[in-house]
């Protein structure tokens, strides 16, 4: 027997006036008081290369707006087709990760999950270019981030000004935080132009202080994973986020593929999508 559960308790807001105004807005019938409250929040924003995010009631309108913005950019499109599997493919239609994602240099993208306390759901960035992981070098977290913040695993993208990204959290271990089905390379070092990554090679043979070459031999699983990562280029995204003391901070992150899953109540996999 199916049951309908109606959740009433609001956790993200504490102000009853704001909660009432938001509920009225969701129903499409905001009161005069709600409209006055929302208008009172209007304020000048600091200059930023990031365009304001637009909200639409229908997915089709979001797709149309994103396509229009994307087509206006001069660079060629770079497509990413999802790798789907599972016994219930219909469930993939409700996933935020799109079956086919097209990006361009300077395309605007948005996070759809929290990476850490800085790169949170809703943070927006621009695509700087497309690179193999071996072409880039991750740097070290800024002092303010290393003290108390947590770093994330693989992230997930969706294009343009009305869209999305995803990941799970773990404590900082290195600039590259890995996960079972993907990784992101954080704190990518950029040249003085703020766009071009500092080129860093990762040779298989490394020398120690005595000049003796050390042969690094990955196991079969590591080798297959490495070969899979190097089979396509990934978007390097420069994210901008507001700072607590005002202004904006930024971070360049290489986004690789992540796993989206739909499971039943017992945790059995029903559908799986590998996508940015």
């Amino acid at each position: 027997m199916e049951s309908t559960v109606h959740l009433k308790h609001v956790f993200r807001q504490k102000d009853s006036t704001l909660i009432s105004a938001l509920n009225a807005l969701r129903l499409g019938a905001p009161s005069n008081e709600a409209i006055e409250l929302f208008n009172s929040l209007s304020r000048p924003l600091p200059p930023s290369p990031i365009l304001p995010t637009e909200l639409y009631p229908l997915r089709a309108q979001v797709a149309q707006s994103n396509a229009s913005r994307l087509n206006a950019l001069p660079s060629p499109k770079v497509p990413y087709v999802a790798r789907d599997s599972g016994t219930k493919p219909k469930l993939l239609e409700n996933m935020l990760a799109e079956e086919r994602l097209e990006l361009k240099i300077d395309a605007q993208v948005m996070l759809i999950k929290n990476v850490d306390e800085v790169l949170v759901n809703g943070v927006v960035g621009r695509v700087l270019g497309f690179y193999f992981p071996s072409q880039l070098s991750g740097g070290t977290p800024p002092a303010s981030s290393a003290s108390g913040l947590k770093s994330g695993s693989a992230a997930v993208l969706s294009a343009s000004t009305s869209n999305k990204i995803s990941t799970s959290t773990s404590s900082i271990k290195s600039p590259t935080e890995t996960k079972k089905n993907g990784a992101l390379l954080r704190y990518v070092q950029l040249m003085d132009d703020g766009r071009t990554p500092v080129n860093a090679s990762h040779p298989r043979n490394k020398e120690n202080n005595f000049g003796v070459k050390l042969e690094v031999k990955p196991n079969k699983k590591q080798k297959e994973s490495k070969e899979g990562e190097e089979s396509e280029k990934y978007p390097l995204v420069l994210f901008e986020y507001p700072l607590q003391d005002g202004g904006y901070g930024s971070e360049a992150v290489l986004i690789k593929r992540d796993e989206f899953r739909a499971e039943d109540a017992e945790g059995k996999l029903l559908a799986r999508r590998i996508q940015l």
Side-chain angles (χ1 to χ4, degrees):
M1 180 178 177
E2 294 186 358
S3 300
T4 300
V5 178
H6 185 196
L7 303 178
K8 296 182 177 180
H9 187 79
V10 177
F11 290 91
R12 297 185 68 179
Q13 287 87 28
K14 304 298 182 183
D15 189 323
S16 59
T17 302
L18 177 60
I19 292 173
S20 298
L22 290 173
N23 286 334
L25 187 63
R26 291 188 186 99
L27 295 174
S31 62
N32 291 332
E33 292 78 10
I35 294 173
E36 184 177 348
L37 172 61
F38 293 135
N39 286 335
S40 70
L41 300 176
S42 177
R43 63 199 183 282
L45 298 176
S48 170
I50 300 298
L51 298 174
T53 300
E54 300 173 349
L55 301 178
Y56 294 91
L58 301 176
R59 276 190 168 188
Q61 292 174 313
V62 172
Q64 182 179 8
S65 174
N66 287 342
S68 176
R69 295 286 182 91
L70 197 65
N71 290 335
L73 297 174
S75 58
K77 292 180 180 179
V78 178
Y80 293 91
V81 180
R83 303 166 190 164
D84 295 341
S85 59
T87 58
K88 303 286 186 181
K90 272 285 185 182
L91 295 175
L92 297 172
E93 296 177 1
N94 297 322
M95 290 189 175
L96 290 176
E98 301 171 5
E99 181 179 6
R100 181 182 175 87
L101 174 66
E102 293 184 329
L103 297 174
K104 289 183 177 184
I105 293 176
D106 284 331
Q108 194 162 294
V109 293
M110 179 186 291
L111 281 166
I112 53 173
K113 287 187 182 178
N114 295 335
V115 177
D116 58 20
E117 290 87 341
V118 174
L119 296 182
V120 298
N121 181 10
V123 170
V124 178
R126 285 189 180 276
V127 176
L128 300 179
F130 302 90
Y131 301 91
F132 294 112
S134 61
Q135 291 180 275
L136 306 182
S137 174
T140 56
S144 58
S145 297
S147 58
L149 298 184
K150 294 181 179 180
S151 181
S153 306
V156 181
L157 282 181
S158 187
S160 203
T161 59
S162 312
N163 277 346
K164 321 157 193 176
I165 289 191
S166 117
T167 162
S168 61
T169 59
S170 60
S171 59
I172 286 182
K173 296 179 181 178
S174 71
T176 306
E177 297 293 338
T178 59
K179 184 181 177 182
K180 181 175 69 171
N181 289 294
L184 60 81
L185 182 64
R186 297 197 59 180
Y187 313 109
V188 173
Q189 302 174 56
L190 301 177
M191 303 285 282
D192 291 339
D193 62 4
R195 295 185 60 92
T196 308
V198 175
N199 196 17
S201 61
H202 299 277
R204 189 177 175 187
N205 295 325
K206 296 183 178 181
E207 294 187 5
N208 60 16
N209 293 333
F210 301 99
V212 179
K213 289 187 177 181
L214 303 177
E215 183 74 11
V216 180
K217 296 182 178 180
N219 59 39
K220 182 179 179 181
K221 188 174 182 180
Q222 291 173 327
K223 186 176 180 180
E224 290 176 351
S225 176
K226 182 67 175 178
E227 290 174 351
E229 287 182 358
E230 295 297 329
S231 64
E232 64 180 337
K233 292 184 177 181
Y234 300 99
L236 177 65
V237 179
L238 181 63
F239 289 108
E240 292 205 359
Y241 47 84
L243 300 174
Q244 292 183 350
D245 56 353
Y248 282 87
S250 63
E251 181 185 336
V253 182
L254 185 72
I255 308 296
K256 295 193 279 183
R257 290 182 181 267
D258 194 15
E259 179 187 57
F260 293 85
R261 297 168 62 92
E263 301 174 342
D264 62 15
E266 298 177 351
K268 181 181 178 181
L269 178 65
L270 300 176
R272 180 173 180 259
R273 169 165 289 174
I274 303 297
Q275 179 60 299
L276 294 182

